[in-house]
Each structure stands twice: as structure tokens, then as C-alpha cells.
Amino acid sequence: MAVRAGLLDPSETRVAQRHEEAALGLAGSLPRLVVAARRASATVVHGLHGRRRAGTGENFWQFRRFTTGEPAGRIDWRRSARDDNVYIREQEWEAAHTVWIWIDRSRSMAFRSSLSETSKVERAVVIGLALADVLVRGGERVGLLGLTRPTASRNAIENLAQALIAAGDDDAHLPPAAAPIARLSEAIVIGDLLAPEEEIAATVASLAARGGRGHLVAIVDPVEETFPFTGRTEFLDPDVAGLKLVAGRAEEWRQGYAERLARHRAALAEIVRRHGWTLHIHRTDRPATEPLLALHARLAEPAA
């Protein structure tokens, strides 16, 4: 069982403040976050131009094996008649594919320690919106998984921000059960990723079931990696009111905590390796442009 991020705040006052902020939702802070997202996206190389993709263009691209769930109308019967396999005739598409973004808005994401100037959810929103801006400027389509349809509008930041306001807070720590990501599309899952490993594995497997690529972005507060607590410390759970854990000498827990965190990270690395996805760890005391640049580079790589 992974350690929930919210257990890492020993301050009663800060916990109460965090819950109050979470209850208010993102509506009040989103205008500021939109500005921050635009500033972040402006520093990143724009676009994924000129990538040859399979799609609905007029030029032949390739034949590939038919997979369960695809429309029968896409089958090329003449090619399929040559042997015992059924084939799809794919066309070349010099246009956009779709990148689906999901942002964790659960209570644990409201956490912010004194070592950071921003909460995890605010940083996740900035990264998600800035990435959307970078992608649509490069001709891609972007959607919020479970919330919006894909869009290529230059007003994507504002449109996605409005969708987040309308959706409000969400108790889910992982994306909802949904149709698998199409083989030529990609998913970006942004959150603290502290759910049990088996739940994360099941989510990634579901999204990748049709061969879609994806990327996990783990947002962490500095104290969640350093565990700087000493002496008697009371840890409170952000998801369950009144649930707390008291450590008489918190410093004696540091090594065990570090080992558990390392095992969790190793499990995440194995999950993404299994499906050909990537994993990015981002601390909120670092610039938001760092994961943006890393994700942009990964998205620019041709599909295997």
C-alpha cells in the first residue's frame, strides 16, 4: 500500500487550510494558473510538425493486421484474400493526432509544504494546460480525458480551464475507466501517483489496450521525498477525516519511508516499461518547464 501524500503534513493549521482550499475548488485560482501556463508554454519549442501519421488522408500508407473492435468497413478484402489474415488499409495523414490529458484533482493534490510555493494540483494544472497550448500550436488535437472532446483551437487553454471549473474537484486518484487510447494517440496522466501499484497498473493496461502510447507524470512536494520530520509528529490523511498517525520519533521512520518510496517508484517504472510508456518525476520546487520540455521531446519521438 502506497503512502498517501496527505499523510506528510504534521501541521493541524496547514491541514485545515488545505482542506478549505480543496473545498473551494480550482475556480478561484484558475485565471492565475492560465497565465502561468501560457508563460511556461512560451519557453518550449512549439509543435510536432511534419510527422507522417496513419489516418484519413488520400495517400496509401501501409497494410496492418485487423484487431478486434475496429469497424469492419476498414478491412481491405482484396489484400486479406491473399492469405489467412485480415488486413486494414491505412492511409497517410499529415494532420493531427490526439493527445489526451488527465489531471488529478483529488484532495491529496491540494498538499503544499513550506518548502514549495505551489500546491501539487496547481502545478499539475499548469503543466497540463501549458502542454495543451504547446501541442495545439504545433497542430495537434488535445482533450481532457473524461471531460472534453479533442480540440485544436488556439483557445485550448481557456476551453480546458473552463471544463476543469465546470467539473470541480474529483475524488479519483486515477483516470476513469474509459475506452482505450487509440493506437496513434497518446495519454498524459498527471498526478501524485500514490495510489496502490496494482490500481495504477490496471489503469495503464486499460488505456494502452489498443496500443496507445502514454506518459505518467508524478507530481511530488519536496517533503514527500526528503521526509524532514523529527520528534513527535502527527500525520493526517487528507482523504479520510479524523484519520491520523502519530510518530513518537519521526526521524526513525525516515529510512523505512525512503525504502518504501523507492519500491513504489520502481513499480511505476516497471509498469510503464511493460507498455512502452514513460515516467516523469517532478518536484513542485522545480520549474514547470522541466517536465514540459521532457514531455515535448517524448511526444516528438516517432511511434515504434
Side-chain angles (χ1 to χ4, degrees), residues 169-219:
D169 298 327
D170 191 342
D171 292 334
H173 298 294
L174 292 169
I181 300 301
R183 190 173 66 87
L184 297 171
S185 296
E186 300 184 53
I188 314 290
V189 177
I190 308 173
D192 55 24
L193 299 180
L194 289 173
E197 290 95 340
E198 60 272 17
E199 294 182 12
I200 298 174
T203 297
V204 172
S206 175
L207 293 174
R210 287 180 59 190
R213 295 201 306 175
H215 314 270
L216 300 183
V217 183
I219 308 295

Side-chain angles (χ1 to χ4, degrees), residues 122-139:
E122 289 186 344
R123 178 54 56 85
V125 168
V126 168
I127 292 172
L129 295 182
L131 182 61
D133 191 50
V134 170
L135 292 172
V136 297
R137 288 176 182 272

